Amino acid sequence: MRIISTFFAVFFVLCLHAEKSIPSFAALQGQAQERPESTLSLLDSLESASALPVYRIDCLRAYAYHALSRYYMAMSCAKRALEADELQSDTAACNRLYMLMTESAIQAYSLGDAVLFITKGKHIAQRQKDLALQADMLSAEGNVYRQMGVINKSYEYLWKAVDMLADASGSPALFQCSHSLGYLMMYYIKDKKLSEAWETGEQRTEIIHRLKEANADDRIVDREEGFLYSKMAYLAYQLGKYNTAKTYCQKFYETRFSGTPIGKLEINDYLLRIGDYRTILLHNEQYFQRIKEDSLNLLFMRTLYQSAQAYNGLNEHKNAYALMQRLHALQSNLHVSDERNQLFNLADLTQAMKQKHELIRATDKIIIRNHTIAALIIISILLIALLGGFYWSWKDTRRRNKKMTQMILELNEKQQLGSFSKYSVSVVNTPSSADEVQTESSRTGAETDPEKPDDYEVFVAFNNRVKEEKLYLYYQLTRDDYAKFMGVDRNRFAALLKKYTGKNLNAYLNNLRLDYSVYLFRTHPDWPINEIAIQSALPSLSTFYRLFKERYGISPKVFKEQLGEQNEA
């Protein structure tokens, strides 16, 4: 089939050259979104015949790969296109590529790349005063926060993007406004806020109407209507508006978008509610046959989950269970990366299945006997007697935690601001109490005898390099690598490290990582604790809690709470 497609693509190019007529870039862009596979074959032929500049072909490939959910390939082609000098003069094309790269990075759960694209995109948008690009970057920030599990921030940034474009009139700005409202609808539905999702859908309907009046490209309007109608059909059914749901479903199938691979997946949520399970499996099978190895992304995982629900509805529980196992394995692979995947936590994904399979119901009510009441009275009296002791103990604990937090912050500030002289080194031992933190803080930066042996100078240079280059954040570095950085052999490295820190390599690196975690708590107070742990190169949350408590005398949770109270004060 691919050979035939390539043959016709080559034939098409030869005909175009014979007539000296190449489709416009806008026409090829629309074709890339509607018929991505044939477009990729055509682009290969156009590139061989040098019929289009290479950077334009890379742009079109990025759009086609994005339509096929091959997000890593889309990012690669977009990056290559942006490196071309010829593209820099085309502001609109550059901005569209930044939008596409950002969305692809988020869908592929490559949050590090997404943050870099957002930062650069915001700078470009401010320089060009491009409201559409600014709003897209705000929307992307909201999506990143959502992936990190910071739900309130996610809604806040998405609504900022919508408000920024509320009075816009141009089609790019109106399209971006509709796009942001689409994300809000999706998240409201996921959070079971159906009324808010319905109101957002009505607002999006008005924006799409204005998009039509602005004479936007028919393909863009059709795609936005397809997304809207599929969500409105699902919401109407969930809200008990069954006739309205049928009407929206009919409107969806009237769009060209409904015949695309992505469009067929979008209507699946509604089909699940009405019990059309066979159609869902057909849609998803067509999608699975089209994707490639680099297509592991949020859409792929959502499609797996929809298929599992469909098999469950058909009472084919063995197939449903196999898909859920596959989904579990995929999510486990995502969790071991530096960018954790919180969108599809297995407990959330399987909850609906558990509810449907739940057969056990509470049949017995709790029998209250007279002696139970008497026992509760006795227990209540004891609790009241102990309440005073617990209260004073709680106050004392809060006072000590507050003092410990302040000392940790003061010590961390000195470590961040301090520099290492030729003959001084700051080595922080693990404190077991607030007094030890104070004593250790007073020792920081203390100078020793100016005449030091060469070993000491070697260690100081090594220590400074590890801290300045943050080498302690790189998992892949081995003991031999660190010995090379120090410029000594393996045995001498261990001896010097023990001599000047009193610790082995793991303890030395963990102390530096814990210091860095304190810095992250201070500079990013809205980050979750497990994100701080991952960014500090301590991805095991239990290990992070244990080491933090051993070093500072309080848990990360208590430290974060105390830090929040101090910031509010």
Side-chain angles (χ1 to χ4, degrees):
M1 187 65 185
R2 182 172 178 82
I3 296 176
I4 297 174
S5 176
T6 305
F7 172 78
F8 280 111
V10 173
F11 179 74
F12 178 63
V13 171
L14 292 175
C15 292
L16 290 175
H17 272 282
E19 299 177 7
K20 303 297 182 182
S21 173
I22 300 294
S24 67
F25 182 76
L28 288 172
Q29 182 179 337
Q31 181 178 333
Q33 293 174 342
E34 291 184 354
R35 299 185 299 279
E37 290 178 324
S38 61
T39 302
L40 287 173
S41 298
L42 174 59
L43 291 174
D44 290 341
S45 302
L46 290 173
E47 184 177 32
S48 300
S50 300
L52 280 178
V54 175
Y55 77 92
R56 284 191 171 272
I57 290 177
D58 284 331
C59 286
L60 294 168
R61 280 177 176 151
Y63 286 116
Y65 282 127
H66 185 271
L68 288 170
S69 305
R70 298 180 65 184
Y71 298 115
Y72 289 106
M73 290 297 296
M75 285 191 290
S76 175
C77 292
K79 287 179 183 177
R80 194 163 58 242
L82 285 169
E83 293 173 356
D85 295 334
E86 301 93 328
L87 187 64
Q88 302 308 315
S89 59
D90 191 342
T91 302
C94 282
N95 292 353
R96 284 196 297 272
L97 281 179
Y98 272 110
M99 294 178 184
L100 182 140
M101 282 199 306
T102 304
E103 184 173 349
S104 296
I106 293 171
Q107 288 294 326
Y109 210 77
S110 181
L111 299 188
D113 286 333
V115 171
L116 291 176
F117 298 152
I118 290 171
T119 302
K120 192 164 185 178
K122 288 170 70 174
H123 176 72
I124 294 173
Q126 291 173 357
R127 187 180 67 219
Q128 297 176 355
K129 296 181 179 180
D130 188 325
L131 280 181
L133 184 57
Q134 287 184 40
D136 184 80
M137 294 301 107
L138 282 173
S139 180
E141 282 188 272
N143 289 328
V144 170
Y145 274 118
R146 179 78 188 193
Q147 303 253 20
M148 292 175 61
V150 188
I151 305 301
N152 291 337
K153 280 276 190 182
S154 174
Y155 282 126
E156 176 187 341
Y157 275 80
L158 284 166
W159 277 116
K160 280 183 180 180
V162 173
D163 293 339
M164 179 179 288
L165 302 174
D167 299 325
S169 56
S171 59
L174 289 171
F175 165 75
Q176 182 54 47
C177 186
S178 173
H179 206 52
S180 299
L181 287 168
Y183 279 117
L184 282 165
M185 288 182 70
M186 180 174 66
Y187 294 149
Y188 278 136
I189 290 172
K190 183 173 179 62
D191 295 338
K192 303 190 185 311
K193 299 179 179 180
L194 302 185
S195 298
E196 290 89 338
W198 183 265
E199 292 174 2
T200 306
E202 291 179 331
Q203 186 174 348
R204 191 181 188 188
T205 302
E206 181 183 347
I207 294 297
I208 293 176
H209 179 71
R210 289 166 56 188
L211 190 62
K212 285 183 178 179
E213 292 179 343
N215 295 321
D217 190 311
D218 289 341
R219 289 184 293 264
I220 294 177
V221 174
D222 180 85
R223 187 178 178 86
E224 290 301 294
E225 286 181 333
F227 277 115
L228 172 66
Y229 296 152
S230 64
K231 292 291 185 293
M232 294 299 279
Y234 171 82
L235 283 170
Y237 191 88
Q238 290 293 88
L239 294 170
K241 305 175 182 180
Y242 303 119
N243 291 332
T244 304
K246 290 180 181 179
T247 300
Y248 275 115
C249 181
Q250 183 178 356
K251 287 184 177 181
F252 169 80
Y253 281 117
E254 290 173 357
T255 65
R256 294 195 302 272
F257 175 72
S258 65
T260 64
I262 301 300
K264 292 177 181 178
L265 299 183
E266 286 300 314
I267 199 62
N268 279 351
D269 286 332
Y270 171 71
L271 297 178
L272 277 172
R273 292 298 168 268
I274 64 174
D276 192 355
Y277 304 123
R278 294 295 181 190
T279 302
I280 294 169
L281 294 174
L282 178 62
H283 289 171
N284 293 354
E285 184 60 30
Q286 291 173 352
Y287 169 75
F288 291 139
Q289 290 176 356
R290 296 167 66 96
I291 61 175
K292 304 297 181 181
E293 290 182 359
D294 73 337
S295 298
L296 180 58
N297 54 66
L298 300 180
L299 179 61
F300 179 84
M301 298 176 75
R302 187 187 76 173
T303 306
L304 275 179
Y305 180 52
Q306 288 175 342
S307 294
Q309 286 185 308
Y311 277 123
N312 183 59
L314 292 169
N315 294 323
E316 297 181 18
H317 301 305
K318 184 177 180 180
N319 290 334
Y321 179 73
L323 287 178
M324 290 304 293
Q325 280 190 316
R326 183 182 179 190
L327 185 59
H328 183 13
L330 290 174
Q331 187 186 4
S332 297
N333 290 335
L334 288 180
H335 269 291
V336 299
S337 66
D338 288 341
E339 298 167 333
R340 60 190 172 80
N341 183 357
Q342 287 190 335
L343 267 181
F344 290 100
N345 184 278
L346 184 62
D348 293 332
L349 288 174
T350 56
Q351 186 174 1
M353 298 288 291
K354 289 178 180 177
Q355 289 174 348
K356 290 185 177 182
H357 288 94
E358 190 176 78
L359 300 176
I360 301 173
R361 294 289 185 268
T363 57
D364 298 326
K365 295 182 180 180
I366 300 174
I367 302 174
I368 301 176
R369 298 186 178 94
N370 292 334
H371 66 268
T372 304
I373 297 175
L376 288 175
I377 293 174
I378 296 173
I379 293 173
S380 299
I381 293 172
L382 292 174
L383 289 175
I384 292 172
L386 294 174
L387 184 60
F390 288 155
Y391 174 73
W392 289 111
S393 176
W394 173 77
K395 284 193 66 175
D396 183 63
T397 301
R398 282 182 58 84
R399 179 186 61 79
R400 287 189 288 105
N401 287 342
K402 184 176 181 180
K403 182 178 179 181
M404 183 66 75
T405 300
Q406 186 61 37
M407 290 179 178
I408 292 171
L409 291 175
E410 291 175 357
L411 178 61
N412 189 257
E413 287 178 1
K414 290 180 181 179
Q415 290 171 338
Q416 294 296 325
L417 297 175
S419 61
F420 298 100
S421 65
K422 182 177 181 181
Y423 296 111
S424 67
V425 60
S426 174
V427 180
V428 183
N429 293 320
T430 304
S432 60
S433 67
D435 292 335
E436 284 190 40
V437 173
Q438 180 63 39
T439 301
E440 194 170 22
S441 175
S442 66
R443 291 202 306 265
T444 303
E447 296 193 357
T448 60
D449 187 352
E451 292 300 323
K452 287 290 180 179
D454 291 342
D455 285 352
Y456 190 77
E457 295 182 28
V458 169
F459 174 76
V460 168
F462 166 78
N463 190 55
N464 287 342
R465 181 178 180 185
V466 170
K467 292 185 177 182
E468 290 169 0
E469 299 181 16
K470 294 185 175 65
L471 299 178
Y472 49 84
L473 296 180
Y474 295 92
Y475 295 105
Q476 65 270 31
L477 295 180
T478 64
R479 185 182 300 274
D480 290 337
D481 293 326
Y482 283 108
K484 290 179 181 178
F485 292 148
M486 186 179 281
V488 298
D489 60 44
R490 180 187 179 94
N491 293 331
R492 190 181 175 199
F493 168 75
L496 290 180
L497 197 64
K498 186 71 175 179
K499 178 179 180 181
Y500 293 111
T501 69
K503 299 175 176 62
N504 59 24
L505 178 60
N506 285 338
Y508 169 74
L509 294 176
N510 285 338
N511 278 354
L512 294 177
R513 291 162 180 167
L514 291 170
D515 292 339
Y516 186 66
S517 74
V518 173
Y519 167 76
L520 292 179
F521 274 120
R522 293 173 53 213
T523 54
H524 300 283
D526 57 338
W527 281 17
I529 292 176
N530 49 353
E531 187 68 23
I532 295 287
I534 290 173
Q535 297 301 329
S536 302
L538 292 167
S540 171
L541 197 58
S542 60
T543 301
F544 178 65
Y545 264 76
R546 176 175 58 80
L547 293 176
F548 196 100
K549 183 70 179 288
E550 290 175 356
R551 179 165 173 76
Y552 298 119
I554 58 176
S555 70
K557 181 179 179 182
V558 173
F559 178 75
K560 181 178 174 67
E561 292 172 352
Q562 291 292 328
L563 188 60
E565 291 179 5
Q566 291 187 21
N567 290 337
E568 291 177 0

